[in-house]
Amino acid sequence: MFDAKKLLDQFLGSQVPGLGGSVRDRAGEAMQTAKNNPMKTGAIAAALLGTKTGRSIAGNALAIGGLAAIAGLGYQAYKNYQAGQAPAAPSDAPSANNPVLLPPPVESGFGPASPAGSNEFVLVLIRAMIAAAKADGHIDDAERALIMDKVKAADVSGEAAAFIERELASPTDLDALVAAATTEEQRVELYTASRLTIEPDSRAERGYLDLLAGRLGLADQLVDHIEATVSSAKVTLSQ
């Protein structure tokens, strides 16, 4: 079995060669690298969404890693929801040079040290991201072939590439995705990963996310927090 966490990093672009220093420094350098060479940073996300306009990725994911980014966003949203806070407003969005997203605390139930960080569940997160990318039906046979060319150009090969190709070609099994999330933290992370992948700017995408939230049993207020937290952490590559 391939390393799912490494593949998730390649999905969200954290494997950027030559980046060092603080999280703040790495985020700034990574965003510049993303502008110059997007196929080496948000590699698979760019491949999945590259034919569409207006997409964005989480800048901090370039610095702290794919799983840590998803877990950190999910944890922040869940913590704010439990505290009874109002969802973040768009004006609260961080800039690319002032990242605030951090990995969640070890004891939080989110991230690498928890069930949500197992290799098996990280595979579920990747499946959820691919399912979200397919939600509006834009990935036909020709598009799938183009995506796989880009995936291979991004140094993804072997079992990992075969896994992506199978997921792209297979119908989404929403029952299996939902059943794999057995804790509240996993359910939050699964929705967070799906929302991070797409902007719900079509009826099909919005409908898919609403269906997913309902099937996961997430409270409306918690979904609002996840939506706001993900939106505030996203920055466009054109900035």
Side-chain angles (χ1 to χ4, degrees), residues 39-194:
M39 282 312 301
K40 291 298 182 183
T41 53
I44 302 174
L48 286 171
L49 304 174
T51 60
K52 307 172 81 172
T53 59
R55 297 306 189 186
S56 58
I57 62 172
N60 288 357
L62 301 172
I64 70 172
L67 179 58
I70 292 169
L73 288 167
Y75 168 72
Q76 187 64 44
Y78 192 61
K79 182 179 70 171
N80 291 343
Y81 162 71
Q82 287 191 314
Q85 297 181 16
S91 60
D92 297 333
S95 70
N97 294 320
N98 186 30
V100 296
L101 176 59
L102 296 172
V106 173
E107 70 281 1
S108 67
F110 291 84
S114 71
S118 69
N119 198 70
E120 293 77 12
F121 189 69
V122 175
L123 280 178
V124 173
L125 293 178
I126 296 171
R127 286 190 174 101
M129 295 172 78
I130 294 173
K134 296 191 297 183
D136 68 351
H138 86 281
I139 301 179
D140 56 17
D141 290 344
E143 179 65 16
R144 188 162 62 244
L146 178 61
I147 289 170
M148 290 313 301
D149 286 344
K150 292 180 179 179
V151 166
K152 290 169 185 175
D155 300 328
V156 179
S157 60
E159 284 186 79
F163 167 79
I164 295 170
E165 192 163 21
R166 285 196 305 272
E167 291 299 313
L168 285 169
S170 302
T172 296
D173 188 345
L174 191 58
D175 289 339
L177 289 176
V178 170
T182 59
T183 69
E184 185 77 352
E185 292 85 2
Q186 287 179 328
R187 289 188 283 272
V188 169
E189 288 195 17
L190 196 151
Y191 185 86
T192 300
S194 302

Side-chain angles (χ1 to χ4, degrees), residues 47 83 176 235:
V235 288

Side-chain angles (χ1 to χ4, degrees), residues 203-217:
R203 186 172 297 177
E205 289 169 318
R206 182 70 267 166
Y208 175 78
L209 289 175
D210 289 345
L211 176 62
L212 179 62
R215 292 291 303 278
L216 290 169

Side-chain angles (χ1 to χ4, degrees), residues 19 22-35 59-60 62-63 96-99:
L19 294 184
S22 67
V23 170
R24 181 188 299 263
D25 292 339
R26 292 201 309 273
E29 293 172 31
M31 284 306 298
Q32 187 58 50
T33 304
K35 294 175 185 177
N60 288 357
L62 301 172
N97 294 320
N98 186 30

